[in-house]
Amino acid sequence: MPTKEQPPRLAPEPLTPASTIPGLLRRNARHHADRPALTLGHGADAVTLSWAQLRAETAALTRGLGALGLKRGDRMLVGMSRRPEHWVTDLAAVHLGVLSSSTCDTWTPGELEAVARHSAAPVLVLEDEREVRRWLPFLDGLPALRAVIVLDPAAALADDPRFVGYAAVRDAVRPDDTAFEALAGSAAPDDPLALLYTPRSTGAPGAVVLTHRNVVHQALAHTEPLTDPDHRRSVAHLSPARAAGRVLGLYEPVCAAGHVTLCPDPDRLLPSLLAARPHTFFAPPPVWDRLAVALETHLESLPREHSAAVAQAGRTILEVFRLRAAGKELPPDVAVPLAQLDATLLRPVRAAVGADDLHLALNAGPPLSTATRERLAGFGLPVREVWHLPETAGPVVVSGPEGFGAGTAGTPLPGVEVEESAEGELLVRGPVVCAGHLRPDGAVEPAVDPQGRLASGWTGTVDTRGTVTVTGRARDLLVVDGTRTVAPAPIEALLRAHPLVGHALAIGDRRAYVTALLVLDPDTAPRWARENGLDADDPAVLAGHPRVLAALDEAVARANAGLPEWGRVRRYHALPGPWTVETGELKAGATPDRRALAERYAAVVDSLYA
């Protein structure tokens, strides 16, 4: 007869649309108890929690948070890096029915305060002294705040009774398995699960309310039973403040009983990939750019005969991707030799960056440049483009082999519908669409129309086969010469096709014609310079070099050949860059911050119209 410590060995609960995160965490702890769930660090310094340990930690913190007065429907903000306690804190909130939301370390104090006021969160969980310093200037002005939990006890303010240590909360209440199991069984698929905030320092921030059904459907959509490995490995390197970081980094591994390697520091991503050897990986374009450079650097280190054989195999594989993109059938006798080429030559090279077991590579952000896409594909690493939204808990449209060309095009996830409005806006319907947006009074305002359709705010087309092509944000459309509406994203994608161009910004709203800012790619521009016999590799020098400008002239001409007359770039300005999130030119996901760039380069832009 089973003891209290050894629950009955029931058949594992399958992942279904009716699953919930607490139910799946319970399944994992019972049936995959000793399998790794979370790992922080590498080698001898690595610390790993099994699924049984993760649930035990979650249960302890759930009891402590409940003792602080948190109850179903409350909100909680978390300011922590990617570490196990962040995952535990979020899962504990889920069990209580509390809507947890992670903050981002790139948010300004004004944005943090706006989010805190809008959420009316009674509890704030912070990691260390750095986070406490970010919040102190406005902490006393948050009337709903009752407790500040600090992971590092040395960061707590001794004279402020609101501050309490994380360990003290975790250990505050004696174990009560019955009460915790009751909480785990009380969640329903359409219950609110978490919040995703889009902060605005000058106004009310947007807060997306995700449900269990939203994230479970995302997990089901990305599972291919015939090819996916059991207990998929992944690397959590994106901020949990974003849909990709929270859903793919936190909730999907619970659904798949996977193993997450946590990467708190973006500069340590390559060691994390090498340690984890992930099965799935979701990253913005700058990360894929760096991986392409790392692969090429490794190739250059190989003996000449070996590297030549790998390069030839890469050209063969790349040609196959191009044929598939063109919709052409491959000869039946090609598949086996291709598999042999990959196994013997390309996969060992991918192992140098931890990508030898990568089954699903997804791009999170604007489309990859053609140069990066083809460089990666030449190593047998095709990256699939996605169109994703906070309101859909992640991807809506994912490209297949036929979507290998430039731009974001593909088919919707299973069970998801995408259609065009009369104005050309893409409308989304299906189980991934969120419950709505949180209002300051705690109510949830639906995000869909009476037909259940979410207005995405993006423009695009849907052809007769159901293939979706995304052209850009509706609010980013340029009205050129007062008469023509131009989507900037396709222009920018064509400009980024040249290896010299890392970022491009099309300009022209309320102007007579379209111009562009072109930012040199910090990785490929020096390489291009060496290959073309230039003795300079400083981007600031290259941005004004006549040979570079001549190459950019050709890049603009090629881009213009694929554009209508009113959308062609008349003039451009080359910048050394780089543009980054940290320096303010890019938003999370590597999309240009158009408003910030318009202010920063106002004089340059004016000169393009002089």
Side-chain angles (χ1 to χ4, degrees), residues 473 490 493 526:
R473 289 184 182 273

Side-chain angles (χ1 to χ4, degrees), residues 347-427:
R347 189 172 185 229
V349 176
R350 294 199 301 273
V353 297
D356 47 325
D357 273 350
L358 197 53
H359 291 251
L360 182 62
L362 300 174
N363 177 43
L368 291 179
S369 68
T370 300
T372 296
R373 182 185 299 107
E374 295 199 344
R375 288 155 68 199
L376 291 169
F379 287 101
L381 184 56
V383 180
R384 301 171 74 174
E385 297 287 357
V386 303
W387 175 47
H388 59 104
L389 303 168
E391 289 86 356
T392 59
V396 178
V397 170
V398 180
S399 71
E402 70 284 352
F404 184 68
T408 300
T411 54
L413 299 182
V416 176
E417 302 172 20
V418 179
E419 61 183 270
E420 295 175 56
S421 73
E423 296 76 24
E425 184 175 5
L426 294 174
L427 309 176

Side-chain angles (χ1 to χ4, degrees), residues 532-551:
N532 286 271
L534 276 64
D535 57 3
D537 59 5
D538 182 352
V541 175
L542 291 175
H545 196 288
R547 298 261 307 271
V548 171
L549 294 177

